Amino acid sequence: MSTHSYIGIENTDGSVESIYCHSDGYLSHNGRVLLTSYADERKVRELLALGDLSFLAEEIGEFHDYRSHWDNPKAKKWCLSFKRDRGERDVEGKHYTDLVSWLDGWGCYAYLFREGKWYWTSARVKDLVPLTLADTEED
């Protein structure tokens, strides 16, 4: 079973751009990858431009055949995108007018890049919490 998550960025007007990530959404994977590999706004926006993800990785990467993703040592370090790598449609990111509408109805974990820092929340926590490496040590 997959641990779903949502990854978003808060814009200066308070709106949120967001994508869905199907696998490994827990803190010790997606939380750690976001914190260590997507630490500036430019990189976060580049990630979100991929649209929804099957898998988040340390590098955005390039097009590759999703069927051989796990057999390709280079591709294992690349994000696996529904649109770019699987050719699926209607998997672009979504725009939310504000933080409240973004937080309404998401799954297990949500990660938000806000004012240069990552925050996280879950159905158990319900508040945005600054993301730290200590958070990524356990789930």
Side-chain angles (χ1 to χ4, degrees):
M1 188 156 89
S2 297
T3 303
H4 312 295
S5 65
Y6 291 86
I7 302 167
I9 188 167
E10 187 175 45
N11 298 311
T12 55
D13 66 358
S15 65
V16 175
E17 307 300 327
S18 181
I19 59 173
Y20 164 81
C21 185
H22 185 73
S23 299
D24 298 336
Y26 42 87
L27 290 163
S28 60
H29 184 266
N30 280 9
R32 179 176 286 277
V33 170
L34 291 169
L35 196 59
T36 59
S37 298
Y38 298 92
D40 65 71
E41 182 177 341
R42 180 195 57 79
K43 189 115 184 216
V44 173
R45 291 197 184 277
E46 190 177 340
L47 173 68
L48 297 178
L50 283 175
D52 294 344
L53 302 175
S54 179
F55 180 75
L56 174 69
E58 293 84 9
E59 298 173 26
I60 291 186
E62 56 192 51
F63 169 78
H64 59 287
D65 185 338
Y66 73 94
R67 291 169 292 213
S68 62
H69 178 84
W70 299 111
D71 298 328
N72 180 340
K74 189 174 182 180
K76 284 182 187 179
K77 295 181 180 180
W78 294 345
C79 292
L80 186 54
S81 165
F82 286 117
K83 182 177 181 180
R84 179 190 69 190
D85 305 316
R86 297 176 61 109
E88 295 185 21
R89 297 177 190 211
D90 300 322
V91 289
E92 290 81 15
K94 294 187 176 33
H95 175 82
Y96 296 85
T97 55
D98 56 40
L99 188 60
V100 172
S101 62
W102 178 66
L103 288 171
D104 185 34
W106 43 263
C108 297
Y109 289 92
Y111 299 94
L112 182 71
F113 194 76
R114 173 191 241 183
E115 298 176 351
K117 296 179 182 168
W118 281 107
Y119 293 82
W120 72 277
T121 188
S122 72
R124 294 178 305 201
V125 175
K126 300 190 194 262
D127 292 318
L128 282 174
V129 178
L131 182 61
T132 67
L133 278 177
D135 294 326
T136 68
E137 299 294 321
E138 55 187 80
D139 288 316

